[in-house]
Amino acid sequence: MRRTLTGIALAATAMVALSFLIPLAMLVREQARDRVTTAAEQRAAALSPVLALTTRTQEVRQAVFELDPAGRLAVRLPDGGKVGVLHADAEALDGAARDRATVALEVPEGWVYLQPVVLPADRVAVVEAFVPGEELERGVLASWGVMLLVAAGLVGGSVLVADRLGARVVRSSRSLSEAALALGSGDLEVRVEPDGPPELQEAGAAFNTMADRVVRLLALERELVADLSHRLRTPLTALFLEAERLEGTPDGRRIAVAVGALEEQLTEIITTARAPLAAAPAGAATKAGSARTSRYGGHAGCDLAEVVLERMEFWSVLAQQQGRSCERYATPRPTPVRVEEDEVAAVLDALVGNVFRHTPQGTAFGVRVERTEDRVVLTVDDAGPGVARPDRARTRGVSVGGSSGLGLDIAGRSAVEPVEIGRAPMGGARVRVAFALAGARPTDRNGPSADRRTGRRRAGGHPLPG
């Protein structure tokens, strides 16, 4: 914008300067010419009284020398005699004498003025006043130079003023743009000082008002999340009591583990939601990731197959209780991803949880972890009725089975590609989630390589529990 305003000012002032300079330069040239030609005409006219008194060559020569010592004045006498150096040709002199009219004409050396003088007995003498070419242009170039300097100063001054005004506008707009980017990046304390033209001042004030409202809305939303999470502690307490009543039984231990994990999640949600906005502008999603350092290329992350191995210990118990067979496979190769363990666990829980919620008890399902050159793919299959509208299932908040509709959205947030929903070889739904491999390969897990197939070891590997 600043360069544009400067260019506009330069073009406008340059056109205005040219519109004045061109006619003014022509006028200066004409005035310089008129000045010297008028002086020449006056010299020629001053010789006329002398010729009226005498036409003797010696007397006329004396008068010519006194009027013009530079030798630019000459006379052709009536008898054909000449005094001084004539620059006009004979035809021009004869024409002036014949027509008895003054003549001004250009000659190779400059400019001449011919003035006939009528004498007694109808005789005619012609006086010639000569002006050299350099005299016609004397002072013109200097005047043009002065005018060009004045015009350049005016143009430069206008460009400088436009540049300063443009800098003010650009500075204000850039400050507003940087503040908007900072707010979008999570800096909720950023504000702008309204500056510049009135329109930008209004925009700055509107930005500050918007930022204040965003902070209030975020604070209200986080407090609401904290309150809702806190309300869940009441039924959670009841579950704890039920687990204590069943203490010593497999069900009691399983419920106690599940309730403990749920309480940890609720505590983290409440702590994060009630933290000051300025202290954690990016939210809970980035808090944990920025606080840890990982072995995977300097980024926080985990080994996806290991997380799936650990998490399937929980789901395998539920599968046994409901009579579900579970086929499991995990690649023996390392599967480092730049995703936190809790996010991978949340993705697996969302996908497997959908199988338990939307298929009848006894429906088989399978979990696979595979690795390609740059991806780790988590696949969950089931033998249920499948998904009739895969396109609707990918929409946040829209469910095809009566749930909240957020399960696949949770999976999609951690994936590097859109979640694939299709038909599984078992006959039901297949959901595939792809994760990007970490840049640096982790150290191989201790011990022999594992095939990690359905509940079986190969060469001493680690199976997925079942």
Side-chain angles (χ1 to χ4, degrees):
M1 181 183 293
R2 180 177 178 181
R3 187 174 298 175
T4 301
L5 292 176
T6 303
I8 293 174
L10 176 62
T13 53
M15 287 189 293
V16 172
L18 286 176
S19 65
F20 282 97
L21 277 178
I22 293 175
L24 187 60
M26 297 176 63
L27 179 62
V28 167
R29 184 176 184 180
E30 290 299 324
Q31 286 182 340
R33 187 184 184 91
D34 290 343
R35 184 182 69 253
V36 295
T37 55
T38 300
E41 292 173 3
Q42 291 175 351
R43 290 194 301 271
L47 191 59
S48 298
V50 176
L51 293 174
L53 294 176
T54 179
T55 58
R56 293 178 182 178
T57 303
Q58 186 62 31
E59 294 176 352
V60 172
R61 182 178 289 111
Q62 182 64 29
V64 168
F65 179 76
E66 292 177 357
L67 289 174
D68 185 17
R72 298 174 183 175
L73 198 61
V75 180
R76 191 185 77 167
L77 298 174
D79 58 1
K82 299 178 182 180
V83 176
V85 179
L86 292 171
H87 296 81
D89 55 17
E91 183 180 355
L93 293 170
D94 292 341
R98 183 179 61 251
D99 298 337
R100 300 181 181 183
T102 59
V103 177
L105 70 156
E106 302 286 343
V107 294
E109 298 86 359
W111 178 85
V112 295
Y113 175 74
L114 302 178
Q115 180 174 333
V117 180
V118 180
L119 302 176
D122 201 25
R123 295 178 303 162
V124 178
V126 179
V127 180
E128 178 193 273
F130 171 71
V131 179
E134 60 271 13
E135 289 291 331
L136 294 173
E137 302 292 337
R138 178 175 294 178
V140 173
L141 293 179
S143 300
W144 285 0
V146 172
M147 290 188 295
L148 285 175
L149 289 177
V150 173
L154 292 176
V155 172
S158 64
V159 169
L160 181 61
V161 172
D163 181 71
R164 292 298 89 199
L165 293 176
R168 184 184 177 196
V169 173
V170 170
R171 183 171 58 252
S172 302
S173 59
R174 183 175 294 146
S175 174
L176 186 59
S177 174
E178 291 175 353
L181 291 175
L183 182 63
S185 300
D187 185 1
L188 301 180
E189 292 184 347
V190 65
R191 297 294 184 274
V192 298
E193 185 67 28
D195 189 17
E199 294 80 4
L200 284 179
Q201 293 183 15
E202 293 177 2
F207 174 84
N208 291 338
T209 302
M210 178 197 68
D212 293 337
R213 183 168 178 79
V214 167
V215 171
R216 289 195 298 270
L217 291 176
L218 286 176
L220 180 62
E221 181 181 358
R222 289 160 68 92
E223 188 63 27
L224 179 61
V225 171
D227 291 343
L228 293 176
S229 301
H230 189 73
R231 293 179 185 179
L232 293 176
R233 288 187 178 277
T234 300
L236 190 63
T237 302
L239 288 176
F240 262 125
L241 296 176
E242 183 68 17
E244 291 178 356
R245 189 177 65 82
L246 298 175
E247 184 177 3
T249 65
D251 290 341
R253 289 192 296 271
R254 180 172 55 82
I255 294 176
V257 171
V259 172
L262 179 59
E263 184 180 25
E264 291 179 1
Q265 294 292 330
L266 287 177
T267 301
E268 182 178 355
I269 291 174
I270 294 173
T271 302
T272 303
R274 293 206 168 149
L277 288 174
T286 59
K287 176 176 67 66
S290 61
R292 291 196 297 267
T293 302
S294 174
R295 55 181 177 167
Y296 303 112
H299 297 275
C302 66
D303 187 290
L304 189 138
E306 290 182 353
V307 176
V308 171
L309 181 150
E310 295 173 0
R311 193 59 190 159
M312 284 303 296
E313 294 180 359
F314 169 78
W315 289 107
S316 61
V317 175
L318 295 180
Q320 292 176 358
Q321 291 181 350
Q322 294 187 8
R324 298 175 182 267
S325 63
C326 178
E327 297 180 2
R328 295 172 292 275
Y329 170 81
T331 176
R333 303 169 62 189
T335 55
V337 294
R338 292 195 184 101
V339 182
E340 293 299 327
E341 295 182 8
D342 53 353
E343 294 184 30
V344 173
V347 171
L348 181 66
D349 290 347
L351 299 182
V352 178
N354 281 339
V355 175
F356 277 76
R357 281 190 295 271
H358 303 306
T359 61
Q361 293 190 16
T363 302
F365 70 98
V367 177
R368 297 177 63 86
V369 178
E370 300 169 306
R371 170 175 165 167
T372 63
E373 291 300 323
D374 59 349
R375 297 285 188 271
V376 179
V377 181
L378 172 64
T379 304
V380 177
D381 297 335
D382 65 69
V387 179
R389 297 285 301 277
D391 53 338
R392 286 178 54 85
R394 296 188 186 95
T395 303
R396 178 178 174 83
V398 177
S399 173
V400 295
S403 66
S404 63
L406 298 180
L408 292 178
D409 182 71
I410 293 173
R413 286 200 301 268
S414 302
V416 294
E417 297 175 355
V419 177
E420 297 181 15
I421 304 176
R423 180 66 65 176
M426 294 181 175
R430 160 168 284 189
V431 181
R432 293 169 58 89
V433 183
F435 300 84
L437 277 171
R441 293 189 59 183
T443 305
D444 290 342
R445 289 181 291 272
N446 295 329
S449 62
D451 188 1
R452 291 188 275 188
R453 294 182 183 273
T454 309
R456 295 194 305 270
R457 295 178 182 267
R458 294 188 59 181
H462 302 283
L464 285 175

